[in-house]
Amino acid sequence: MNGMEDVVVTGLGATTPLGGDVASTWAGMLAGESGIRAIEEEWAQQLPVRIAGRLKTEPAEVLDRVQARRMDRCEQIALVAAREAWADAGRPEVDPERLAVVIGTGTGGALTLLGQDDVLEASGVRKVSPHTVPMLMANGPAAWVSIELGARGGAHTPVSACASGAEAIAMGLDLIRLGRADVVVAGGTEACIHPLPLAGFAQAKAHSTRNGEPGRASRPFDVDRDGFVIGEGAVVVVLERAGFAAARAARAHAGLAGAGVTSDAFHITAAHAEGQVRAMRGALESAGVSPRDVGVVHAHATSTPQGDLVEAESVAEAVGLHPAVTATKSMTGHLFGAAGAVGALAAILAVRDGVVPAVRNLDVLDPEVKLDVVAGGPRPGRYEAALANAFGFGGHNASLVFTRVG
């Protein structure tokens, strides 16, 4: 680790369109299931986009009713995932001032902001909820998780579009390596399935319009891809200083060996290969891992015509053509601020369990994509290292390297 402190992943938590926890989400990925469904509500029928990756399990089913009413949906699901991750880690006994939280999000409490604006316009100021501000603020998920766990070592919120969740995990790595924390709870959350984002993405021609076949709409690297599908969910991991975890005999799912974070300074929405390559190379360098050691790449691969090609070129340049490449947005949809954390989860489990999920809906690989994209069924193998990418509007690039332990 280039002389730096080793960091391990001891806890995993998730709630996604495939399942309400890690086990069901991972089982869904390996089975090639789709969590993308038609939006049946009347408000969607006027829209050109009427499909989304909605949560399989409603957070209100597992949270206290009063508490849930005071939280935006993105806060609710972050807390659900964090509770699972904390329990999975064995609820480590750690000095509260050595415990930090980093939860990224792309839009924060967008549903609260838009909903309460409707209330204000329709019914006036007296009907606006007094909980509006703590529900809409982007740092709300990190704040709620820190309160839940008694974390006093900092509660941080990267807001970098679709790279937010991966940047959160990268920041957790930095906090431990810099000696500022022994344990960090990190991840991403997003919940913004609403007419306005759907309309905006449709107008930008970024969202798939396969309304008649939701399960086939998200198709990374396929020659017939026509855009991403919006999704919601949260993934949270518990990171620990390896020595701290060993002292309490904690089980490690994987090592978090390195991270690379860059910015393009190029275009507000267009992907840029040079910045992506620098992020991947930076992650490998900080991990002390050579490109040949990487057996798995979880691609950002949103299913947009141009974005997938740029990433395919970037992966080929930074890592090579040898890794098994997967893209689970084909099953979950694009979870924006949580996307990088979902990719991290898939990468961790791939090296832990020795199996890579296949990309759903990959009927015909785009001939311009030269990567070894996994199709047809999960690919078993012994994978020593996995790289997970997350790229966001604004030119945000984040790559994470996970390694097998034991």
Side-chain angles (χ1 to χ4, degrees), residues 182-256:
D182 292 316
V183 181
V184 179
V185 178
T189 186
E190 202 75 89
C192 58
I193 298 174
H194 180 279
L196 185 59
L198 284 166
F201 285 125
Q203 288 295 96
K205 308 299 182 185
H207 201 291
S208 173
T209 54
R210 293 175 186 265
N211 296 313
E213 44 183 5
R216 294 181 53 78
S218 182
R219 42 198 320 112
F221 299 123
D222 187 80
V223 70
D224 289 329
R225 64 192 182 279
D226 70 332
F228 63 74
V229 178
I230 190 172
E232 61 180 356
V235 168
V236 173
V237 301
V238 177
L239 308 175
E240 295 191 39
R241 181 170 55 83
F244 184 87
R248 68 182 193 88
R251 171 205 55 192
H253 295 286
L256 173 55

Side-chain angles (χ1 to χ4, degrees), residues 98-125:
R98 302 284 298 168
L99 172 61
V101 173
V102 193
I103 305 291
T105 182
T107 63
L111 296 182
T112 292
L113 176 62
L114 294 168
Q116 289 300 305
D117 182 65
D118 289 344
V119 171
L120 177 64
E121 293 293 330
S123 304
V125 66

Side-chain angles (χ1 to χ4, degrees), residues 52-73:
R54 284 181 151 169
L55 289 175
K56 191 73 171 288
T57 301
E58 282 297 311
E61 296 177 12
V62 294
L63 293 175
D64 174 78
R65 183 176 60 85
V66 174
Q67 184 184 39
R69 288 182 60 189
R70 296 178 178 178
M71 304 169 72
D72 183 82
R73 189 172 178 84

Side-chain angles (χ1 to χ4, degrees), residues 202-395:
Q203 288 295 96
K205 308 299 182 185
H207 201 291
S208 173
T209 54
R210 293 175 186 265
N211 296 313
E213 44 183 5
R216 294 181 53 78
S218 182
R219 42 198 320 112
F221 299 123
D222 187 80
V223 70
D224 289 329
R225 64 192 182 279
D226 70 332
F228 63 74
V229 178
I230 190 172
E232 61 180 356
V235 168
V236 173
V237 301
V238 177
L239 308 175
E240 295 191 39
R241 181 170 55 83
F244 184 87
R248 68 182 193 88
R251 171 205 55 192
H253 295 286
L256 173 55
V261 177
T262 67
S263 53
D264 294 337
F266 170 69
H267 192 275
I268 198 65
T269 56
H272 193 44
E274 187 269 344
Q276 296 179 5
V277 169
R278 285 190 296 112
M280 286 182 265
R281 287 178 173 167
L284 292 170
E285 182 180 357
S286 76
V289 169
S290 77
R292 287 301 313 173
D293 295 329
V294 176
V296 180
V297 171
H298 185 283
H300 183 63
T302 61
S303 186
T304 59
Q306 189 58 30
D308 286 10
L309 291 183
V310 172
E311 185 178 10
E313 295 170 3
S314 301
V315 171
E317 181 177 346
V319 186
L321 301 180
H322 61 278
V325 177
T326 188
T328 58
K329 290 182 183 66
S330 59
M331 294 171 266
T332 65
H334 190 359
L335 274 61
F336 302 149
V342 175
L345 176 68
I348 291 165
L349 295 174
V351 297
R352 187 195 73 180
D353 294 351
V355 60
V356 181
V359 177
R360 182 182 168 89
N361 299 323
L362 186 56
D363 297 333
V364 179
L365 181 68
D366 189 318
E368 294 189 52
V369 175
K370 307 305 181 184
L371 303 176
D372 181 12
V373 183
V374 180
R379 184 181 298 178
R382 182 183 173 93
Y383 304 105
E384 297 298 330
L387 183 143
N389 285 331
F391 310 129
F393 279 3

